Amino acid sequence: MNPKTTLTLVVATFAMKAHAAQDPIPDIIFVPENAKVVEAEQKWFGGFELEADVSGSSIGSISEAVKAFYTDKGFELGREQADDDDVELLFVKEQESVEVDIELEHNDIIEYSVDYETR
């Protein structure tokens, strides 16, 4: 097999594996506008994890949108920790919890992660 064909096959295989790792995002997960999903994965024991990079927004505006989304879904804000470049939020509702981390990274990219769990 020539090197060009080998490289094409490797790239195609990697693209299929990367795409396969992205599970459908359930309605319970808030995804900000301008978010580029890095990872979306159903947990084997229930729940869901999402990681995304967000550009063109601020930590404060994303935090407020997250709070509105989850309180509209009946969750209560159980914990909020914030400083200049990081906000951590925990929402609880009966047997469910959602932990959200919003962190300013390099080049004004915001790393956004959600961990949804059922008990």
Side-chain angles (χ1 to χ4, degrees):
M1 192 177 298
N2 72 37
K4 186 175 180 180
T5 303
T6 303
L7 179 60
T8 302
L9 289 173
V10 168
V11 169
T13 301
F14 178 75
M16 285 188 293
K17 285 184 178 180
H19 180 70
Q22 299 292 323
D23 288 337
I25 300 170
D27 292 341
I28 195 69
I29 303 298
F30 176 77
V31 181
E33 289 185 34
N34 303 326
K36 179 182 173 190
V37 176
V38 175
E39 181 178 351
E41 182 176 55
Q42 188 76 35
K43 295 180 181 182
W44 66 272
F45 54 86
F48 198 86
E49 290 182 356
L50 175 115
E51 288 186 27
D53 291 335
V54 183
S55 60
S57 294
S58 70
I59 290 176
S61 66
I62 296 171
S63 176
E64 291 305 313
V66 168
K67 289 178 197 176
F69 179 85
Y70 285 107
T71 55
D72 285 350
K73 292 216 176 264
F75 285 83
E76 292 183 19
L77 181 60
R79 182 181 76 233
E80 178 176 10
Q81 296 178 326
D83 58 32
D84 292 340
D85 60 358
D86 184 53
V87 173
E88 294 177 18
L89 304 166
L90 174 67
F91 298 91
V92 292
K93 176 174 125 179
E94 298 170 8
Q95 300 297 317
E96 300 171 282
S97 68
V98 180
E99 190 170 339
V100 178
D101 188 33
I102 308 163
E103 185 174 354
L104 183 61
E105 293 292 324
H106 55 84
N107 299 327
D108 296 326
I109 299 295
I110 296 171
E111 182 180 280
Y112 175 81
S113 63
V114 179
D115 186 11
Y116 169 71
E117 294 185 1
T118 57
R119 298 178 207 158

